[in-house]
Every structure is written in C-alpha cells, then in structure tokens.
Amino acid sequence: MGGLQRFEHKLEQAISGVFARTFRSAVQPVEIAAALQRELDNKAQVLSRERRLVPNAFAVELSQGDLERIAPYESALSTELAEQLQEHADLQAYVFPGPIKIEFVTAEDLGTGRFRVLSRAEASVSGHARYTTRQRTRAVLEVNGTRHPLQPPGLVVGRGSEADLRINDPGVSRRHAEFLVTAQSVGTGAPGAGPLQIEVHDMGSTNGITVDGRKVSRAELGDGSRVQVGHTSLVVRLLEEEVADV
C-alpha cells in the first residue's frame, strides 16, 4: 500500500465515513496530501549530499464552501496531513526548519473542488534575555510571527544554544549576528532616556547578513529595517511607551 493510500485509510478510521460523504463532491483530502508532498519536492534546497531543506509552514487555500465543509474536521485533518508530510520527508531525507504548520484559508478566486498550496520555511525561535525585567521595552525584533525585546546592551542571534535568540535555521551559524543597542542621553535628563541607537554586526557567519536586501558586515538599523540571516528575516520595530512584561 502506497503512502497516500495509507493516509486515506488512516483518515477514514480517524474521522469516520461522515468525512468521506462530506467531501464526495468537494476537495479530496488525499489530493491535498499529494499537493503538499509535491510542494516539498519542488521547494527542496540542498544542504549537503544527504540533507535537503524544505518548507514547514503551509497555507491551503480553498473556496468558502469547501472551507466550511472542512471546518468540523480541520484539527484532525491537519494532524494527519502533518504526519503524512513527516513520513514523506523521512523517506526523502528532507529537513524541516521547525514544526510543521498547516492552516486552511479561504480564497475568493477559487471555486468548489479547487485549492492552492502556499508554503514557506519558518524556523522555530527561542531566546533568553540579557536584560532585567525593569527595563522598558522600546524596540523589538519580529521573527516568524514572534516578538523579542531588543534592549541594551543587545543580543546575539544564532543557531547555537549560547545565542540569546536561537533560530533553528540550517542557514544560520551558531553565533551569526549581534544586535548592539545603546540608549542615548538627552540634555540633563536621565542617562539612557534618549533615542535608541541600534546596529547589527556579522559575527563571521558562513552565509553573512543582508539589511534591506543589501549584503553588509555591519549596519545601523531603524524602524522597519529587515535583517536576513540564513532563510529567516528579522524586522526591527520601534515602540512608543510599551513596558516589558517578560
């Protein structure tokens, strides 16, 4: 029995025959599974002779009617699809940069029975801060939908456990880049009460860094600056008067 046949059989057992009747004239789950596998095959990037990087975050676009039919079974279907993708990845020596995420969204240009798969590589991100909880958060780094306080003296981004902000991206070095943050003084006011000065420095990484599409070894950053490390983008956001609660 092939992989997609096993998937279909497992899905029938998990959700019962109601699912099959619901989708008789709409998008078939096995078709989505096949499309997701093709997305991995088409987007695979060579890391080494034995490993290839593939996307791990997927949006399955459907018509409004098909999305409503899927809604009661979305959680079970996502779980089964993720397991099927993992099985395919294991067979092909594919590497995911983070957990597999599958979401279903509506697309107005699609009719019943039609769907489209969009994908991206989204590395898992974790970190520990070098600042105290009393510091006011005046800037953050946005990474894959998460926000991380960017405060003096700054932080190191990398794939290794010693990095302050750890990104599980094969294209990121263990200590890839350092963000340096300095709070300027203004007049006779309290030290550090003035505007922030933020810089990024490449730490001798294998793949280097780019800022707003330009490869650099170091650069000053402002609100909206986009720093690319490996396959991951980090965006600087300056805040007004937000107080850290972490």
Side-chain angles (χ1 to χ4, degrees), residues 61-143:
E61 295 185 337
L62 304 156
S63 69
Q64 183 62 41
D66 282 337
L67 188 62
E68 291 174 356
R69 292 184 183 92
I70 278 181
Y73 316 101
E74 184 172 339
S75 178
L77 181 56
S78 294
T79 299
E80 294 298 333
L81 286 169
E83 290 181 1
Q84 173 65 20
L85 274 186
Q86 186 63 64
E87 180 180 319
H88 182 67
D90 292 342
L91 290 173
Q92 301 298 326
Y94 292 157
V95 177
F96 294 110
I100 299 173
K101 301 178 183 178
I102 301 173
E103 62 176 346
F104 299 92
V105 297
T106 186
E108 295 181 358
D109 63 321
L110 295 177
T112 300
R114 302 289 299 277
F115 70 93
R116 182 165 51 231
V117 173
L118 305 178
S119 67
R120 65 187 184 278
E122 187 176 284
S124 58
V125 181
S126 60
H128 57 277
R130 288 193 281 174
Y131 51 85
T132 68
T133 56
R134 293 182 180 180
Q135 285 183 279
R136 181 159 53 94
T137 300
R138 299 168 60 192
V140 295
L141 275 180
E142 290 184 348
V143 192

Side-chain angles (χ1 to χ4, degrees), residues 129-131 149-156 164 178-182:
R130 288 193 281 174
Y131 51 85
L150 191 55
Q151 299 176 343
L155 53 80
V156 172
D164 301 301
E178 183 174 20
F179 288 79
L180 300 177
V181 183
T182 306

Side-chain angles (χ1 to χ4, degrees), residues 14-47:
I15 303 177
S16 84
V18 176
F19 188 95
R21 292 194 297 272
T22 299
F23 284 85
R24 185 167 297 159
S25 60
V27 172
Q28 298 297 313
V30 69
E31 294 175 348
I32 297 177
L36 289 170
Q37 288 187 184
R38 287 195 300 272
E39 191 72 7
L40 295 191
D41 297 337
N42 293 336
K43 296 289 184 66
Q45 299 180 39
V46 176
L47 296 176

